[in-house]
Amino acid sequence: MKVAVTYENGMIFQHFGHTEYFKIFDITDGKITNSEIVSTMGSGHGALAGFLKAQGVDTLICGGIGGGARMALEEAGIRLYGGAAGLADDAVNALISGNLSFNPEVRCSHHEHSGSGHSCGSHGCGSHSCH
């Protein structure tokens, strides 16, 4: 299994489409055998599913995520665990043990507000919900 986590300063970054880094974990026989932090090299939103697929990722843990990205991940065959929060390493260990807290219905609602000028780049989603 190869698991990617949206990543910033040890934590799960809360907006998939704006993540600058993923922490990618190799898991064999229920144990983490390797991990590395990789830059998205400026890729965003729709391009990230292809980026993860090229990295060999089959599972993603993230915070908020929009509908288009969800569909792109599904088409790429990547299992999604959205709506997660906290430390990236803890989330992967919880996934391995079957105790990961996530929201299978997670949506970033601000994607519905076209023209609002909203940006999650610094990620304080303000009045918008990314869960």
Side-chain angles (χ1 to χ4, degrees):
M1 177 187 289
K2 198 161 196 173
V3 178
V5 182
T6 52
Y7 189 79
E8 182 178 61
N9 298 321
M11 305 297 287
I12 298 169
F13 187 70
Q14 290 300 302
H15 189 255
F16 173 78
H18 289 275
T19 193
E20 294 180 18
Y21 299 96
F22 288 102
K23 188 165 184 181
I24 298 178
F25 299 80
D26 293 311
I27 300 168
T28 306
D29 297 326
K31 295 189 184 345
I32 297 171
T33 57
N34 187 50
S35 68
E36 64 178 319
I37 298 168
V38 297
S39 171
T40 63
M41 297 173 280
S43 298
H45 288 98
L48 289 174
F51 175 85
L52 292 173
K53 187 73 171 174
Q55 298 289 321
V57 169
D58 55 41
T59 303
L60 170 70
I61 298 172
C62 68
I65 187 167
R70 289 175 65 94
M71 286 178 31
L73 290 167
E74 186 176 323
E75 289 172 7
I78 298 172
R79 176 178 284 137
L80 172 64
Y81 293 90
L87 294 169
D89 291 11
D90 289 352
V92 173
N93 284 314
L95 177 68
I96 292 168
S97 68
N99 296 316
L100 179 64
S101 177
F102 70 101
N103 176 357
E105 301 302 319
V106 67
R107 298 279 191 278
C108 264
S109 67
H110 60 261
H111 288 278
E112 309 305 319
H113 303 294
S114 62
S116 70
H118 175 72
S119 171
C120 281
S122 62
H123 212 240
C125 255
S127 63
H128 299 296
S129 171
C130 280
H131 297 286

